[in-house]
Amino acid sequence: MAEMTPRERWLGIFNRGAVDRVPTDYWGTPEVTARLLGDLGCGSHEELWRKLRIDKQQHLGARYLKQAEYDRRGTDMWGIRYETVDYGTGQYREAVGHPLAGMERVEEIEAYAWPRAEDFDWAGASERAAAIDDYRVRQAGTYEPFLLYCSLRGMEQAYEDLLLNPEIAEAILRQIFDFYYEYNRRLFEAGRGKVDLTYVAEDLAGQMGPLFGVETYRKFLLPRQKRMADLARSFGIHVYYHTDGAARVFLRDLIDVVGIEILNPLQWRCPGMELQGLVRDFGERIAFHGGIDNQQTLPFGSVEDVVKEVKEVAAIMNGVRWICSPCHNIQPVTPTANIVAMYETIHEIGAA
């Protein structure tokens, strides 16, 4: 088979076609990416992706026209204030100012200054879409409402709301959905014919089990996830889904109702997420993305451990659609040699 472009490999996975080799992707913290650029002598991200033969996505978005106003306030467009937290080997931005934390009435929620899709540069988005090339797969749009809800309300209060303040939860989630539905619709229109996939997500589980019950998920999140996925499908756009953790109990709804096409990130050390079971039960219906452990093997294993794991995962995934990638962001404690070994090994295995 002739060598394919990264986009052709992704589309081959989505469309159940043949691919010339197992596609790859990359998730890593900024610190890891910066180190890889230096260690491998690459002057740009594109040079890094080509050196490691990574089928990385390219992204289409729209510029927010009021960003300077919120920069002066020290918040993002949702009114959330962040601080940079140093954890020793890297940094994360954590929400520390929750603008909806003290609200107790639906009327307060509705009166809040919610972002509007009208406040983005759609003409510029259309121009960038027209200029985007066909070499890499094109991703546009996102929807991860409860993660945002937690930042707006505070995490503890957010989870309490689902049981104790359902009318508040519904009001906030409705506002988030209304914004993203219109934002994504306009983005899909701006990129019509240029967008291949969209990112629908929610972290439904933790390391050991679900973060909330299935019925709670079905009440507050599932219907709008389906509507967002339906919007993407109306534009011929594929649906990529992300959830961390032990999320097995939610997969039937995600596949049967939301209609996801790719599941990420396959944290197989979590109960119920064993790769053999996922392949057995869902391999005929969806594709898989991830699966190379970023919690133990990549950071703390040897090069030989990484090689062994990549070969084992590839053997399990043989015969199903799979994109080889770390099962979440590679962390700064991960040696460069282990990262390189992951990609070199999957390429040495050859065609899928």
Side-chain angles (χ1 to χ4, degrees):
M1 179 183 293
E3 182 175 0
M4 304 174 80
T5 66
R7 179 170 182 258
E8 289 170 338
R9 291 188 192 98
W10 273 85
L11 294 182
I13 294 296
F14 277 118
N15 297 327
R16 300 177 180 271
V19 292
D20 61 336
R21 62 166 173 80
V22 176
T24 60
D25 200 1
Y26 170 86
W27 283 43
T29 69
E31 296 87 359
V32 174
T33 307
R35 193 185 76 225
L36 285 175
L37 288 168
D39 287 353
L40 300 183
C42 298
S44 67
H45 288 168
E46 179 62 27
E47 187 178 347
L48 178 62
W49 310 148
R50 289 178 183 261
K51 189 178 189 73
L52 293 177
R53 298 168 69 193
I54 297 172
D55 300 306
K56 198 77 178 75
Q57 307 160 35
Q58 56 183 330
H59 301 274
L60 173 65
R63 183 172 61 89
Y64 187 52
L65 298 174
K66 294 186 175 182
Q67 189 58 51
E69 172 186 340
Y70 286 93
D71 287 344
R72 288 192 295 271
R73 298 180 187 179
T75 72
D76 67 3
M77 68 180 185
W78 300 93
I80 302 165
R81 184 168 57 85
Y82 291 86
E83 288 184 2
T84 299
V85 178
D86 192 304
Y87 58 91
T89 56
Q91 296 178 331
Y92 278 118
R93 289 178 71 239
E94 299 290 347
V96 297
H98 313 293
L100 306 187
M103 296 186 181
E104 299 179 354
R105 296 181 297 112
V106 170
E107 292 78 10
E108 294 177 276
I109 302 299
E110 293 176 343
Y112 185 68
W114 294 97
R116 303 183 312 158
E118 291 82 357
D119 295 331
F120 288 78
D121 177 15
W122 296 113
S126 294
E127 291 173 2
R128 287 190 295 276
I132 203 167
D133 63 41
D134 292 337
Y135 182 70
R136 296 196 176 276
V137 69
R138 289 86 58 109
Q139 183 265 326
T142 186
Y143 182 59
E144 194 168 3
F146 194 67
L147 178 65
L148 176 58
Y149 187 116
C150 289
S151 295
L152 285 163
R153 190 84 163 137
M155 185 170 291
E156 183 175 348
Q157 184 64 62
Y159 279 95
E160 288 182 2
D161 285 344
L162 297 178
L163 296 178
L164 303 179
N165 304 303
E167 70 287 347
I168 293 289
E170 177 62 22
I172 295 173
L173 290 168
R174 183 174 64 248
Q175 292 285 351
I176 293 172
F177 174 82
D178 288 347
F179 167 79
Y180 273 111
Y181 191 89
E182 182 62 14
Y183 174 88
N184 287 343
R185 185 189 67 79
R186 291 183 180 222
L187 191 57
F188 297 159
E189 286 187 346
R192 187 178 288 274
K194 291 283 191 173
V195 180
D196 300 309
L197 69 135
T198 195
Y199 183 91
V200 178
E202 204 64 74
D203 285 343
L204 302 175
Q207 193 75 21
M208 298 306 296
L211 293 174
F212 34 69
V214 172
E215 291 307 316
T216 300
Y217 165 71
R218 289 173 176 168
K219 177 179 180 180
F220 289 106
L221 298 174
L222 176 62
R224 292 190 180 102
Q225 285 190 336
K226 181 184 186 306
R227 287 182 61 191
M228 199 65 75
D230 286 344
L231 173 67
R233 282 187 284 268
S234 74
F235 284 86
I237 296 170
H238 299 287
V239 179
Y240 171 113
Y241 194 89
H242 165 86
T243 176
D244 293 341
R248 174 69 181 247
V249 70
F250 301 101
L251 295 187
R252 293 287 181 188
D253 281 350
L254 290 172
I255 296 169
D256 295 340
V257 181
V258 180
I260 70 169
E261 297 173 75
I262 289 186
L263 176 67
N264 155 280
L266 311 182
Q267 292 180 312
W268 55 265
R269 292 188 187 274
C270 298
M273 300 301 290
E274 297 82 3
L275 297 180
Q276 294 92 335
L278 295 179
V279 167
R280 179 191 66 236
D281 295 339
F282 307 112
E284 290 295 319
R285 303 191 60 190
I286 59 171
F288 301 105
H289 179 291
I292 308 303
D293 175 50
N294 76 318
Q295 293 180 311
Q296 296 184 34
T297 310
L298 282 171
F300 304 119
S302 64
V303 166
E304 292 74 20
D305 292 330
V306 174
V307 170
K308 179 174 181 288
E309 180 163 311
V310 172
K311 290 180 177 179
E312 288 175 348
V313 174
I316 294 169
M317 294 294 177
N318 185 40
V320 300
R321 295 171 295 148
W322 174 50
I323 296 173
C324 178
S325 177
C327 62
H328 217 297
N329 287 326
I330 301 172
Q331 298 298 306
V333 292
T334 307
T336 295
N338 284 5
I339 300 170
V340 172
M342 173 177 61
Y343 292 109
E344 287 184 344
T345 302
I346 194 61
H347 294 318
E348 287 171 3
I349 290 173

